[in-house]
Amino acid sequence: MNINISFCGAFVALLASQQAHTTIAFSPAAIEKVRQWTLSSPVIDAAFDVLCEGGVILSPTNVGYSLITLDGKEGAAKFDHVKGREKKPYGVLGTETTFSRVFSGLKAPALRNDFCSDLCLSFVSSESVSHDAREQLKTSRAVGPSGEVAMWINIGPIFDTLVERVEEKYEGKRLVLITSGNISGRGNPASSTFSIDAVDDELLDRVDMTIDIPHWSDPELDDDGRWYSAPMFDMDSCTFRRVGKHMENANIVVSLFHERRGRL
């Protein structure tokens, strides 16, 4: 099974002022249009079916293109096949509800606003992970060597909508795994725009579904000209494990988050 949804007519009609195969000029309004599209699109319905059947989906995100699948031993094995890697842990994609459940009741930072609309953050902790969440995620190889779990939030409207639907369908009993959309060891694509053409053909051949719509965002590039991933913040040490896209905004968000935790 390999489904390629390319430039869905309903989406292009919604963004009629944009030419196909171009990046949408980013603005909070642009990302809100994509979010509204996800609420009624048959593409999202098809992607949800693929996800529930254990498939791997590649889609545009705030940091380029990412992969998701449902948790479990089978999900980790699917990711291993797609990315060509073994034994490294995977991340978890979450909503505010998922964040609170996995991290023992902690309240996630508010990212659904204009300031953060294009900001994806990864939060890592060992100390805050609940026992039940850690036990569940061990089978998915989503627990690191020190017992830590990494959760991505605000990844973008397509995957955010899908993870919300997973929350609703499985009532918190299933989690969504996430990883970067590249072959292991090759790093993020080197391109000045977010384009499906920059993604490895080998990876595209291995996924079960590709959602290829005009991208709503632009990359920030590292010193090698590759797309920055999401910043990764360690909640135990209150430091960034990894710099990434929109670091200035990320610093503000985690400073407020840390300040709020200190008052609890």
Side-chain angles (χ1 to χ4, degrees), residues 49-66:
D49 289 342
V50 169
L51 188 61
C52 292
E53 292 168 2
V56 174
I57 300 170
L58 176 77
S59 171
T61 63
N62 287 342
V63 287
Y65 292 83
S66 304

Side-chain angles (χ1 to χ4, degrees), residues 222-240:
D222 64 16
D223 292 340
D224 297 319
R226 297 184 179 277
W227 300 342
Y228 262 129
S229 299
M232 181 178 287
F233 181 70
D234 190 317
M235 295 190 289
D236 300 338
S237 64
C238 297
T239 58
F240 279 97

Side-chain angles (χ1 to χ4, degrees), residues 32-140:
E32 181 57 28
K33 286 182 178 180
V34 183
R35 194 180 310 282
Q36 291 302 314
W37 171 76
T38 67
L39 299 178
S40 59
S41 170
V43 174
I44 302 303
D45 292 338
F48 185 63
D49 289 342
V50 169
L51 188 61
C52 292
E53 292 168 2
V56 174
I57 300 170
L58 176 77
S59 171
T61 63
N62 287 342
V63 287
Y65 292 83
S66 304
L67 299 161
I68 61 169
T69 192
L70 282 185
D71 66 342
K73 187 180 295 185
E74 298 81 4
K78 291 277 285 188
F79 268 178
D80 289 345
H81 170 69
V82 170
K83 289 182 68 72
R85 82 181 200 188
E86 293 181 357
K87 299 184 179 179
K88 293 184 179 179
Y90 291 110
V92 180
L93 178 60
T95 63
E96 291 182 10
T97 301
T98 320
F99 188 96
S100 180
R101 188 171 65 253
V102 170
F103 293 125
S104 304
L106 284 179
K107 186 177 180 181
L111 297 181
R112 292 289 182 89
N113 54 65
D114 287 355
F115 181 75
C116 300
S117 57
D118 192 37
L119 173 64
C120 175
L121 276 171
S122 173
F123 289 83
V124 184
S125 178
S126 174
E127 297 172 4
S128 298
V129 180
S130 73
H131 172 77
D132 289 347
R134 184 179 280 115
E135 290 304 304
Q136 179 179 352
L137 289 167
K138 280 181 180 177
T139 62
S140 307

Side-chain angles (χ1 to χ4, degrees), residues 5-18 24 33-34 36-44 212-214:
I5 304 295
S6 180
F7 302 107
C8 171
F11 182 78
V12 174
L14 180 65
L15 299 166
S17 61
Q18 305 292 333
I24 302 166
K33 286 182 178 180
V34 183
Q36 291 302 314
W37 171 76
T38 67
L39 299 178
S40 59
S41 170
V43 174
I44 302 303
D212 179 15
I213 62 173

Side-chain angles (χ1 to χ4, degrees), residues 64 70 90 153 177 197 216 219 223:
L70 282 185
Y90 291 110
I153 57 174
L177 304 181
D197 295 334
W216 59 82
D223 292 340

